[in-house]
Amino acid sequence: KDENNVQNSAKKLLRYSPRRGRILPGGSQIVRFTVRKPAGLESGEYRSQLRIEGGLLGQENANSAKLAYNIPIIARHGQTEASADLDFLGIHYNEKQQPMMSLLIKREGNRSLFGSFTITNAKGDVIGLTKGVSVYEPLKQRVMNVELTGELTPNVSVVYEELKEYGGTAKVQKTFSLR
C-alpha cells in the first residue's frame, strides 16, 4: 500500500538506520529510530509499519523460503485519548471443541488501543486470557475470539485493559450472561 496516501501515516516523520543489513543465525541488529515532528503537526497518532524481510544466505532465488515481519511503529503527538467498549457476540466451539467467547471491542478517540482480555467466571476463576489485543487506527472495532478453559458459569466478567507500558489507560469491565 502506498503510505503517502494513508491518513496519519508516520512515514514522513520517521528516520531509521541502518536501512539494510545482514543478520547471521543467532545474531541481532539494533535499529535506531528518530521521530521528526514538523511545526504545526496536528495532535493525534501517526502509524507506519517496518517491514523486515529475510531468507537464507546463498538462496536468493524465487523458489527459496522467505520470512517477512511487519512491525507497527506508532508516534503520538499532542493530546491523544482513547476509550473502549465491549459487546458479547456469543459462544462457539473451535475445531478441538473448546468453547470460544466472541467479543466485539469498540474504540473511540484519536489513538489506537493495545491491551489484554481477562475473563473470569462467577467463582472468580480466570477462564480466558488473551494478551496483545490491538485496535489500530483507523479501525473503530474488532471481533476477538477468546478460548475458554475451566468451568463456565451462567455469568462471566470480561475485562479489557490497555497495557500501561505502551501509554494506555483505557479499561472496561462488563458482566455478560451466557444463557
Side-chain angles (χ1 to χ4, degrees):
K1 195 187 259 193
D2 181 9
E3 276 199 58
N4 293 320
N5 297 325
V6 174
Q7 183 179 2
N8 287 356
S9 171
K11 184 177 181 180
K12 293 181 180 179
L13 305 177
L14 297 173
R15 303 289 180 264
Y16 61 94
S17 76
R19 298 187 75 78
R20 295 184 164 267
R22 288 186 184 219
I23 304 171
L24 297 175
S28 64
Q29 174 67 58
I30 294 173
V31 179
R32 288 183 167 64
F33 286 88
T34 301
V35 178
R36 295 187 179 172
K37 299 176 184 177
L41 183 66
E42 287 186 37
S43 290
E45 179 177 274
Y46 296 83
R47 192 171 71 83
S48 192
Q49 292 186 56
L50 175 65
R51 182 172 178 88
I52 299 173
E53 295 180 347
L56 298 175
L57 290 175
Q59 296 185 11
E60 288 86 8
N61 67 36
N63 295 327
S64 63
K66 294 187 182 192
L67 297 174
Y69 296 95
N70 289 314
I71 302 169
I73 307 294
I74 295 174
R76 293 181 180 149
H77 174 69
Q79 191 69 24
T80 60
E81 56 188 51
S83 62
D85 196 13
L86 298 173
D87 284 336
F88 172 55
L89 300 177
I91 299 288
H92 66 276
Y93 292 84
N94 65 15
E95 62 279 352
K96 297 176 186 174
Q97 297 306 306
Q98 285 290 121
M100 305 284 287
M101 185 173 195
S102 290
L103 298 160
L104 179 68
I105 179 167
K106 298 182 277 187
R107 180 191 62 78
E108 289 289 329
N110 65 348
R111 70 168 175 81
S112 300
L113 296 171
F114 186 75
S116 61
F117 279 106
T118 305
I119 302 171
T120 54
N121 63 16
K123 296 178 179 181
D125 300 327
V126 174
I127 60 170
L129 178 65
T130 300
K131 297 181 179 182
V133 177
S134 59
V135 184
Y136 291 126
E137 283 270 17
L139 296 177
K140 295 290 186 188
Q141 61 187 23
R142 176 179 178 191
V143 173
M144 250 341 270
N145 294 306
V146 181
E147 186 173 313
L148 301 176
T149 59
E151 182 183 351
L152 295 181
T153 55
N155 294 310
V156 296
S157 174
V158 178
V159 175
Y160 177 80
E161 185 169 16
E162 278 195 289
L163 301 175
K164 291 173 181 47
E165 58 265 34
Y166 294 104
T169 58
K171 181 178 180 178
V172 60
Q173 179 172 355
K174 287 194 169 181
T175 299
F176 296 111
S177 172
L178 300 183
R179 294 180 189 193

